[in-house]
Amino acid sequence: MVVLNARLSALCALLVLALSTDAQHSSAVVSSVAASSSAAASSVLSAPSSVASTDSASVSTLTSAVLSTDSASLSTILSASSSPAISGVSSSVASASSVASSSVFITSAASSASVSASSATTGPPLESTQITIPISSYPFSSFPVPSASPIPGVFPATSPQSPPPPGSSLIPDFGPAWARAHARARQLISGWSLEQKVATTTGVGWMGGRCVGNIPAIADFPGLCLEDSPLGVRFTDFVTAFPAGITTAATWKRSLMRARGLAMGREFKGKGVHVALGPMMNMGRIAQGGRNWEGFGADPFLTGEAAYETVLGLQQGGVQACAKHYINNEQEHFRTQESSNVDDRTEHEIYLHPFMRSVQAGVASVMCSYNLVNDTYACENDRTLNQLLKGETGFQGYVMSDWGAHHSTLAAVAGLDMSMPGDITFSSHTSWFGANLTAFVENGTIAEARVDDMAERIVAAWYLLGQDQNYPEVSFNAFAMNDPATNAHVDVQDDHYKVVREIGAAGTVLLKNVGGALPLKKPRSIAVIGNDSAPSLRGPNGYSDRGGDDGVLAMGWGSGTDQFPYLVSPVEAIQARARHDSSGSQVSWFFSNWDLAGAAATALDQDVALVFLNADSGEGYITVDGNEGDRKNLTLWINADPLVNAVASANRNTVVVVHSVGPAILEPWIENPNVTAVLWASLPGQEAGNSIVDVLWGDVNPSGRLPYTIAKRPEDYGAQLVTGGSGSEILRIDYTEGLNIDYRHFDANGIEPRFEFGFGLSYTTFSYSNLRVKPVFHADRTAAALEAAWAAGKPSPAVEGGSTALWLHRPAFSVSFTVTNTGKVAGTEIPQVYVHFPAGAGEPPSVLRGFADVDVPAGGSRTVEVTLSRYDLSVWDAEAQGWRKPKGEITFSVGTSSRDFRLKGKVPL
């Protein structure tokens, strides 16, 4: 159950908000922001049938204690009554004022009243209860701003335009920049009418502007353009198709995470976009999850670091970043009708962490997700939006809905600041905000101070990024890319292809290499096998939103994509390299995955056979080969396993390259002795062919590491895709694994993976030595009392910004060691630090808490330092609502993966 905080001054109850609204068309708000409030209010609740036809607007049925199971009308409202008992149902719509004053508490159901948790015995697990915000009068007071003074050399005051360098121990203090931005925003909106402030919070409606999301111009404020995606500017041309988030995470290199973010930020700004809808940082809880590839893997620390660097890069480039999808949006199936039920400790330690790191990076906006969290929609969830995000992390930006993801006007009370795209359903000419929000303020349901706060947060983010100064105009039309009147075809690519190529190579993971099969040494004859090695017959953008699998796979499908300016296929790059090596080299190819005899014949007697495979997934609004966003299974696609074995039967030097959205089961061929090498190349973007050739030929020594575990069997993963459900049912997804996702589950249950999290080989070898660990002392004593209390095992204070407090995150212990390259070629090592909490702490056996990348010449050595903070050594105390050092000895290991530990030590607490 959601507990509303004291700021809302109301009890939470089981209630369905069955308000019947005739919402104004969101674009009409633009033209009528100066209209009288009385006119707006009188039109809000006049036509109950207008919203009743929209399934996504609200829950359609009530429990039998309130209504019969046949009731599905959104226009029915419980009659206002002075009695707390429910006396009946009104067939007409009450006035806004009478509804606001009603004390009736209502229980709602996802489908019929008979649905309950017990239905799991005959079908998918379903929820019987949905918790919504009760109609009441909600005063509002602003969140206190976390107070901390800048500390030069430790916590320097800075702005998004001047972040610390990648991997720096400096913790940027964006507080002063936010304070200035908020002051300017308050001044700007102080002269605005209520309708103008509301317009700032309400999108103009689907296809109502030139971007996928649009806030209208208001007085001197030019409005906002919001545009996908996490890997490039969507729905326009002359942009770069960057590697996916999962590929970037596989580099384990903060410098490349930052470089990609910066290049993307410059492209978004160059196109006139104010808000880039990324990065995506959901956790990959489900191996088959359709959108996992947009994010950064299955560990909160790795995902948090990638999110942090990406946000810093995007905003340094001038665009507002948007951290999404907040929160627990871990599968596509029934994403708008599933409740992710998560305990408080798991929420804090796993799923909130990347968003907290984004807040520390100064992120301007956060997008709440489609799903419910513990029976309340994520975009109407006081616990996650107000208490955790704005309260605990001290987030000073604004929360926008995913497109159509909120279901009431009272979402504003729960912490939603911006409705996107503005209409209830696309092009419905209705809005939960707009005139409805105006009316709710005028009748006393929502305080105008809350609308002030919403508008201020939105405008402050605009000021924070300096978008009030010489910002480019929007130069494209997302809905009509070929319209000459609205597309200027501005080229923003610069030399970003270099970053793409570098990340594609650095994110490639060498999983197997027998007898030095790789790197290739000027082979005279090369067979290139498999559809994934070729260009698509339709060209790189032949499938809408990349919703098809034909040719080399360089990104998944859905809204997380953009247009390829070009796409270098492996066969093209291999031919170019072979010509470079020797005029006598021979390259042959066979692109059919189904003609096994033809593939084997092509591979016969060749020096090396390169077999290219893939596995695709994406967003649920597109189905590819029966995969409705999420993958149906964990096999590689297009007859991949038989293809490998057929080629390997004909060629004893078969090298497999996999482009994949996530883990796959490799057991049918991974131990085949003729499969001499395997490269895991993820989704490398437009330079796919060049990136893989750089690694195949050894121009780049592979240093990529897996950002998830590759299992031997699908059932070895701790969390599985929940399917089923129909109509208005709400699936129940219980996060029963708690903290044990991905490698943590394998470790805790003694399951042997095929390739563990963090695994990756190199063309050279490394040794580790000289482990040292010591406390880090700071000259200032600004938080000595808090640090002493933590050392004594007391939880951190439950205050605004408590989870992002400087004393909790500044370096507390230094772990240093020596990495030596014991091979014959230069290489990059990725040392990883895993913390082992005492047995009674309730933590997984090993938890990633640090990593670095270090370039080491052949025969050389480098000293590496990784710091640990008090936060890194804490667990969440759900009862005390604070971070606490557990009782007992805390140890750690340094190694090359989550299972290959080379050095072990103890934290000197």
Side-chain angles (χ1 to χ4, degrees), residues 513-538:
N513 194 24
V514 178
L518 294 179
L520 298 176
K521 304 170 184 66
K522 296 186 177 181
R524 294 193 64 197
S525 59
I526 305 167
V528 182
I529 310 291
N531 179 267
D532 185 72
S533 68
S536 170
L537 293 176
R538 296 190 179 191

Side-chain angles (χ1 to χ4, degrees), residues 66 87 140 143-144 287 296 318 434 438 461 467 530 600 644 660 687 719 731 780 898:
V66 182
S87 57
F140 176 81
F143 284 86
F296 302 115
T438 300
Q467 294 179 342
V644 173
S660 180
E687 290 283 328
L731 293 183
D780 68 279
S898 61

Side-chain angles (χ1 to χ4, degrees), residues 84-296:
I86 297 173
S87 57
V89 177
S90 171
S91 60
S92 62
V93 179
S95 68
S97 59
S98 65
V99 173
S101 63
S102 170
S103 62
V104 178
F105 286 3
I106 311 171
T107 302
S108 66
S111 54
S112 71
S114 61
V115 173
S116 68
S118 64
S119 65
T121 60
T122 57
L126 303 176
E127 287 291 3
S128 60
T129 299
Q130 178 192 331
I131 303 171
T132 59
I133 304 170
I135 293 289
S136 183
S137 178
Y138 293 99
F140 176 81
S141 58
S142 298
F143 284 86
V145 176
S147 59
S149 300
I151 302 173
V154 178
F155 187 51
T158 189
S159 69
Q161 293 79 14
S162 302
S168 171
S169 62
L170 296 175
I171 300 174
D173 178 10
F174 295 112
W178 271 117
R180 291 190 297 270
H182 272 275
R184 296 184 69 188
R186 279 193 299 273
Q187 182 179 12
L188 182 66
I189 70 172
S190 63
W192 288 2
S193 67
L194 172 61
E195 289 83 359
Q196 287 176 312
K197 289 180 288 190
V198 165
T200 315
T201 73
T202 310
V204 302
W206 182 245
M207 298 181 69
R210 288 164 63 177
C211 304
V212 295
N214 303 269
I215 293 295
I218 302 158
D220 294 331
F221 177 65
L224 298 174
C225 164
L226 295 79
E227 189 67 32
D228 295 311
S229 78
L231 58 66
V233 190
R234 186 184 179 207
F235 287 150
T236 186
D237 52 13
F238 298 102
V239 295
T240 301
F242 288 91
I246 201 67
T247 313
T248 309
T251 70
W252 292 61
K253 291 186 176 183
R254 291 178 175 88
S255 60
L256 292 180
M257 297 168 184
R258 178 76 67 85
R260 172 178 175 266
L262 178 58
M264 288 195 300
R266 288 172 173 166
E267 293 201 8
F268 276 101
K269 179 178 179 179
K271 286 287 188 177
V273 176
H274 298 92
V275 187
L277 301 177
M280 189 277 222
M281 56 198 69
N282 297 119
M283 279 307 309
R285 172 180 179 265
I286 307 297
Q288 295 165 242
R291 301 185 74 177
N292 290 355
W293 57 273
E294 296 182 42
F296 302 115

Side-chain angles (χ1 to χ4, degrees), residues 54 65 97 151 292 299 345 402 424 427 466 510 545 575 595 703 797:
T54 62
S97 59
I151 302 173
N292 290 355
D299 177 81
R345 179 171 176 178
D402 205 336
I424 293 174
S427 304
L510 179 62
D545 286 343
Q575 290 186 85
D595 184 349
S703 62

